[in-house]
């Protein structure tokens, strides 16, 4: 059977083919209630899209609201559709595409444990110092560094320091906010 | 004294907050929400609610024979009355059986509130008897759902559920209610005191966009209105305003399967349904138009055909209450977020206030082009003296329904199952009013028609309700015959019996080399005896001569009636847009022979 014949047998027509993809940071204000995260994640997983990173925490105890920051890579159509779908969820109050909105700040936090000989530990310490990472735990054989920066910077830091005895990494997703005086 | 003062006085006289059990709260909230009929099936985890139902007489409970039937009956009730349908089912299998109906309501935007029983809160997650993760299972197939873990949250959740189901783009809402919460006592909150959340979808259209749209409409040379279920959901006034606006412009109008009845089919501006089995004139007009006015339709894949070739030269206006419908499938030039009714009203006002007139010269050219397409007579079929053609059966059904309507004033309501008969019903039965046509559009659920007819008859006790069915679909919810008999519902089931899953057979004939894999419905019951066994009336027509008499007899019965119409087995549903093809590549019955040789 040729490709054309196969196509004609489908009830659903053709796939639109490859499109350009881009990375977007979405900021979502939600009611802090059970199941809200699952509803949001379901929109992504239900369409087969992977989330690059996700950060959730309560931001207002009084209003019982949480902010979710999602970083996702997709085509413009997919991103538009996901934003519209997010916005119509009942517990979602506001969805902002910070990437489209303009200049904004994004920060990830990483904890990295280095355990090695004195020579490597010293080198690791120098790198951490150069990047402005903080020593959060220290023994004779190990360090735990804490470093906060953009995703790309954190990647770069980890790449440099990892060869000197990386034992464990724990990092958050991005927390994000727009620049200037606007609310988002 | 005004009513608010009255209310305050009466609430001061009684306790400030009424103490009720969870089960009583459910009933009380339903009464306050104006519910008079609910559909359901009892079971262990909802017994407290059934006990509360037993002790009141404001809400009538209809016992269906399967939870899927209850859900479709509630859909039929909702679609034919414009109210929110209510379902009450038990935990576990009760909830999972309702899932098909919930999904159907989600895809067709039907407002439902479904209360599911749940095992007691302290057993949730323990694999208790008849436990299922109902909120987990129904999350992707509802507009919203709730698991109630505190009885004091219940009144607000009840009111909010009705608000969410019926506001914005309507849809199904599930409330999962553990049994201990049904027994627990708490403070009842009245409807007017309830906080119905932050859910406030935008329903008022942007006026600047309306002005722009009306200008585009007025300047169009080859316009077409393409309307959908959103107009029906917006209420009868939306259909009235749509008709007035379309008449004022003199433009052609087509509609989706879901939108039939919003504009009267007897009007000369009506082109018939569009899409895969739509009319030749509707699809060609969509393809060749220069301004497309989409109101309350969502560019479904059964409507658009190949999206890359969809109406290539038109400016598109898209009115939708759901922002996520905009630019989902087709990129449009002017999106308007808002309620279809409010938008049409606003458009009509701008049209009148600004004194817009249509360009008659261009419009006449457009109409003469459309008349050429109409002259193709795309719905014609070969008549037979010996075999009943399904199209002929529907023409006769329509004839007698119209006659009945004229003579007795009894309005006709049509429900359908899913398949060829459904498409033929959409093609051959004209709908002149909204809420008269109940069919499973988005999900395509076989077994929808009989329970939907039951719900429709309950919502419209004086109506003539006919389920146009196929012999395969009807067997999927045939148990609801008992429901129809129990409640004396004289629903008519008009089976176009060709002994095949007709649409499956049609695709296998045209696209799979006539390899009829599993599509012959063998071992069919004797439908006449089946109807009688349930306590209904069974009739049969095997030749065209018998047909009229049988239909007349059917219209006279006062019981649920099955009419087994033995129709031509090889008849296919045309016209048809083959998948992956555009609107201007549709094929007619006469092309069929060429068509199957080309593709197979």
């Amino acid at each position: 059977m040729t490709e054309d014949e196969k196509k004609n047998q489908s009830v659903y027509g053709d796939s639109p083919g490859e499109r350009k993809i881009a990375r977007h940071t979405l900021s979502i204000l939600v009611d802090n209630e059970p199941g809200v995260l699952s509803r949001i994640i379901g929109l992504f997983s239900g369409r087969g899209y992977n989330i690059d990173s996700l950060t959730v925490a309560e931001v207002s105890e009084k209003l019982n609201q949480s902010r979710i920051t999602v970083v996702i890579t997709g085509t413009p159509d997919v991103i538009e559709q996901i934003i519209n779908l997010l916005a119509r969820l009942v517990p979602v109050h506001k969805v902002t595409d910070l990437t489209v909105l303009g200049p904004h700040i994004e920060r990830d936090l990483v904890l990295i444990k280095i355990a090695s000989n004195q020579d490597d530990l010293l080198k690791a310490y120098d790198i951490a110092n150069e990047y402005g990472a903080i020593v959060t735990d220290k023994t004779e054989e190990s360090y735990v560094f804490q470093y906060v920066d953009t995703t790309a910077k954190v990647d770069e830091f980890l790449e440099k320091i990892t060869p000197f005895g990386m034992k464990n990494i724990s990092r958050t997703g991005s927390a994000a906010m727009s620049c200037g005086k606007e609310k988002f | 004294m005004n009513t608010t003062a009255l209310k305050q006085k009466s609430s001061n006289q009684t306790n400030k907050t009424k103490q009720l059990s969870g089960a009583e709260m459910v009933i009380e909230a339903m009464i306050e929400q104006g519910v008079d009929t609910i559909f359901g099936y009892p079971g262990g985890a909802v017994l407290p609610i059934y006990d509360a139902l037993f002790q009141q007489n404001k809400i009538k409970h209809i016992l269906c024979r399967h939870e899927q039937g209850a859900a479709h009956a509630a859909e039929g009730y909702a679609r034919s009355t414009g109210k929110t349908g209510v379902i009450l089912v038990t935990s576990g299998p009760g909830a999972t059986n309702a899932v098909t109906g919930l999904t159907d309501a989600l895809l067709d935007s039907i407002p439902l509130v479904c209360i599911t029983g749940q095992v007691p809160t302290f057993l949730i997650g323990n694999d208790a008897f008849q436990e299922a993760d109902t909120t987990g299972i129904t999350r992707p197939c509802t507009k919203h759902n709730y698991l109630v873990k505190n009885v004091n949250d219940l009144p607000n959740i009840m009111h909010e559920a009705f608000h969410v189901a019926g506001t914005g783009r309507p849809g199904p809402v599930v409330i999962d209610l553990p049994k201990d919460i049904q027994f627990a006592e708490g403070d009842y909150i009245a409807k007017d005191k309830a906080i119905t959340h932050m859910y406030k979808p935008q329903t008022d259209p942007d006026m600047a966009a309306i002005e722009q749209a009306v200008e585009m409409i007025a300047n169009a040379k080859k316009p077409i209105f393409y309307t959908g279920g959103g107009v029906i959901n917006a209420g009868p006034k939306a259909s009235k305003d749509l008709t007035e606006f379309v008449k004022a412009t003199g433009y052609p109008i087509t509609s989706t399967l879901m939108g039939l009845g919003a504009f009267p089919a007897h009007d000369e501006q009506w082109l018939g349904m569009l899409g895969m089995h739509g009319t030749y004139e509707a699809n060609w007009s969509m393809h060749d138009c220069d301004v497309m006015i989409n109101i309350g339709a969502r560019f479904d894949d059964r409507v658009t055909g190949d999206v890359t070739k969809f109406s290539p030269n038109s400016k598109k206006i898209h009115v939708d209450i759901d922002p996520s419908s905009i630019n989902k499938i087709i990129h449009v030039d002017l999106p308007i977020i808002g309620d279809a009714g409010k938008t049409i009203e606003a458009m009509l006002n701008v049209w009148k206030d600004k004194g817009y007139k249509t360009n008659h010269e261009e419009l006449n050219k457009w109409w003469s082009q459309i008349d050429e397409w109409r002259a193709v007579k795309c719905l014609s079929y070969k008549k037979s003296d010996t075999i009943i053609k399904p199209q002929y059966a529907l023409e006769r059904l329509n004839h007698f329904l119209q006659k009945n309507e004229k003579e007795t004033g009894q309005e006709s309501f049509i429900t359908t199952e899913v398949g060829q008969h459904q498409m033929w019903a959409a093609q051959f039965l004209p709908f002149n009013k909204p809420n008269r046509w109940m069919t499973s559009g988005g999900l395509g659920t076989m077994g929808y028609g009989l329970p939907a007819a039951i719900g429709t008859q309950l919502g419209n006790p004086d109506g003539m309700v006919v389920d146009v069915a196929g012999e395969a679909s009807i067997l999927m919810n045939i148990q609801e015959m008992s429901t129809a008999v129990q409640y004396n519902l004289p629903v008519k089931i008009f089976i176009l019996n060709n002994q095949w899953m007709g649409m499956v057979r049609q695709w296998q004939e045209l696209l799979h080399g006539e390899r009829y894999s599993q599509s012959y419905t063998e071992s069919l019951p004797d439908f006449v005896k089946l109807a009688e066994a349930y306590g209904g009336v069974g009739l049969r027509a095997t030749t065209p001569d018998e047909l009229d008499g049988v239909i007349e007899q059917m219209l006279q019965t006062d019981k649920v009636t099955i009419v087994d119409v033995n129709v031509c087995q090889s008849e296919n549903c045309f016209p048809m847009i083959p998948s992956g093809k555009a609107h201007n590549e549709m094929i007619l019955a006469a092309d069929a022979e060429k068509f199957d040789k080309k593709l197979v």
Side-chain angles (χ1 to χ4, degrees), chain B residues 168-408:
Chain B
R169 181 178 183 174
V173 176
V174 162
I175 301 172
D176 199 25
L177 195 52
K179 194 171 181 181
D180 54 333
I181 306 292
Q182 298 170 33
F183 279 124
E185 294 218 335
D187 298 332
Y188 181 71
I189 301 168
K191 185 186 170 191
D192 54 355
K193 299 251 166 48
I195 305 152
T196 47
H197 206 276
M198 300 278 285
Y199 183 68
K200 287 187 214 115
Q202 183 185 341
T203 57
D204 291 319
D206 173 25
M207 278 315 289
I210 295 277
E211 301 256 352
Q212 204 186 332
V214 177
E215 196 183 333
M216 272 167 79
I217 294 169
N219 292 330
K221 293 176 177 158
K222 298 194 284 181
I224 185 160
F225 281 94
Y226 151 43
T227 64
V231 181
I232 311 271
N233 274 340
K237 184 168 184 298
S239 297
K240 205 177 134 271
D241 287 350
L242 174 74
T243 307
E244 190 183 341
F245 190 35
V246 173
K247 293 308 290 178
T249 58
Y251 291 173
I253 174 168
T254 179
S255 149
T256 65
L257 183 71
M258 292 297 297
L260 297 177
F263 185 85
H266 59 62
D267 194 280
E268 55 182 11
Q269 282 165 251
W270 171 247
L271 301 187
M273 181 176 76
L274 84 165
M276 183 170 272
H277 292 290
T279 67
Y280 193 75
E281 50 270 34
N283 285 332
W284 271 86
S285 303
M286 286 288 281
H287 185 269
D288 280 11
C289 69
D290 71 342
V291 173
M292 179 186 295
I293 310 133
N294 172 348
I295 305 176
R298 59 181 176 93
F299 296 107
D300 181 82
D301 58 70
R302 301 295 93 163
V303 157
T304 59
D306 183 351
V307 290
T308 58
K309 299 179 199 156
F310 177 74
S311 193
N313 303 314
S314 62
K315 292 268 180 222
K316 298 174 187 74
I317 301 166
H318 186 188
V319 178
D320 205 300
I321 201 162
D322 179 359
S324 75
S325 289
I326 305 285
N327 291 342
K328 181 173 69 175
I329 294 162
I330 300 291
H331 280 266
V332 294
D333 302 279
L334 180 59
I336 300 175
I337 311 291
D339 174 76
K342 290 182 182 179
T343 307
I344 296 165
E345 192 182 1
M347 282 180 170
L348 186 60
N349 288 340
V350 170
W351 179 275
K352 284 182 192 160
D353 293 349
K354 295 225 167 156
Y356 278 116
K357 292 272 181 309
T358 40
N359 182 338
H360 280 289
E361 200 181 321
E362 292 294 342
L363 190 61
N364 286 342
K365 273 194 238 164
W366 180 225
W367 272 113
S368 49
Q369 170 64 69
I370 291 171
D371 286 340
E372 276 176 41
W373 292 323
R374 272 180 168 165
V376 168
K377 297 206 181 303
C378 66
L379 295 179
S380 50
Y381 60 93
K382 272 188 204 146
K383 292 213 167 71
S384 165
D385 293 337
T386 48
I387 305 173
I388 303 175
K389 289 295 187 100
Q391 300 95 326
Y392 176 73
L394 288 169
E395 282 177 345
R396 296 317 292 164
L397 174 67
N398 180 45
H399 169 79
F400 285 106
L401 285 176
Q402 304 268 355
K403 188 166 163 247
N404 178 55
E405 210 159 314
K406 238 175 247 155
E407 287 170 1
T408 66

Side-chain angles (χ1 to χ4, degrees), chain A residues 2-19:
Chain A
T2 68
E3 277 304 306
D4 246 25
E5 278 169 351
K6 269 189 203 160
K7 243 165 45 184
N8 280 328
Q9 285 191 313
S10 164
V11 195
Y12 294 98
D14 305 341
S15 127
E18 293 296 307
R19 298 257 178 83

Side-chain angles (χ1 to χ4, degrees), chain B residues 444-563:
Chain B
T445 312
M446 291 170 74
Y448 173 88
L450 173 54
I454 286 170
T456 302
Q457 187 81 74
L458 280 156
N460 305 274
D462 300 326
M464 171 61 70
V465 182
V466 181
D467 170 26
V468 175
E471 82 292 336
S473 281
I474 191 67
L475 289 177
M476 284 212 184
N477 270 321
I478 193 72
Q479 76 285 347
E480 299 306 328
M481 284 291 289
S482 281
T483 314
V485 170
Q486 179 178 346
Y487 298 99
N488 298 316
L489 304 172
V491 166
K492 322 297 182 197
I493 303 160
F494 194 74
I495 303 178
L496 299 176
N497 183 350
N498 62 3
Q499 298 184 35
W500 288 87
M501 295 163 207
M503 198 56 97
V504 174
R505 195 200 53 77
Q506 177 166 348
W507 282 80
Q508 288 174 334
E509 179 186 333
L510 299 180
L511 301 166
H512 292 271
E514 301 184 53
R515 291 179 295 278
Y516 299 119
S517 179
Q518 302 295 322
S519 53
Y520 183 71
T521 37
E522 234 159 294
S523 307
L524 280 170
D526 178 331
F527 283 107
V528 173
K529 283 189 191 157
L530 183 74
E532 287 164 359
Y534 274 111
V537 177
L539 302 167
R540 179 172 289 126
T542 52
T543 63
D545 296 343
E546 293 170 356
L547 191 59
D548 284 6
V550 166
I551 295 173
E552 280 182 303
Q553 237 180 305
M554 171 189 95
L555 294 180
Q556 296 306 320
T557 62
D558 57 357
K559 283 183 194 165
V560 59
T561 304
I562 294 183
V563 183

Side-chain angles (χ1 to χ4, degrees), chain B residues 88-142:
Chain B
L88 176 58
V89 298
T90 193
S91 63
T96 56
N97 277 346
V99 162
T100 302
L102 295 171
T103 314
D104 192 274
L106 182 72
L107 279 189
D108 284 350
S109 307
I110 310 301
L112 292 186
V113 170
C114 173
I115 293 160
T116 57
Q118 182 56 280
V119 301
T121 43
F122 52 85
L123 281 179
I124 291 178
N126 275 347
D127 296 335
F129 178 63
Q130 291 196 329
E131 182 186 357
D133 175 7
T134 302
T135 46
I137 290 167
T138 59
R139 193 159 291 143
C141 64
T142 53

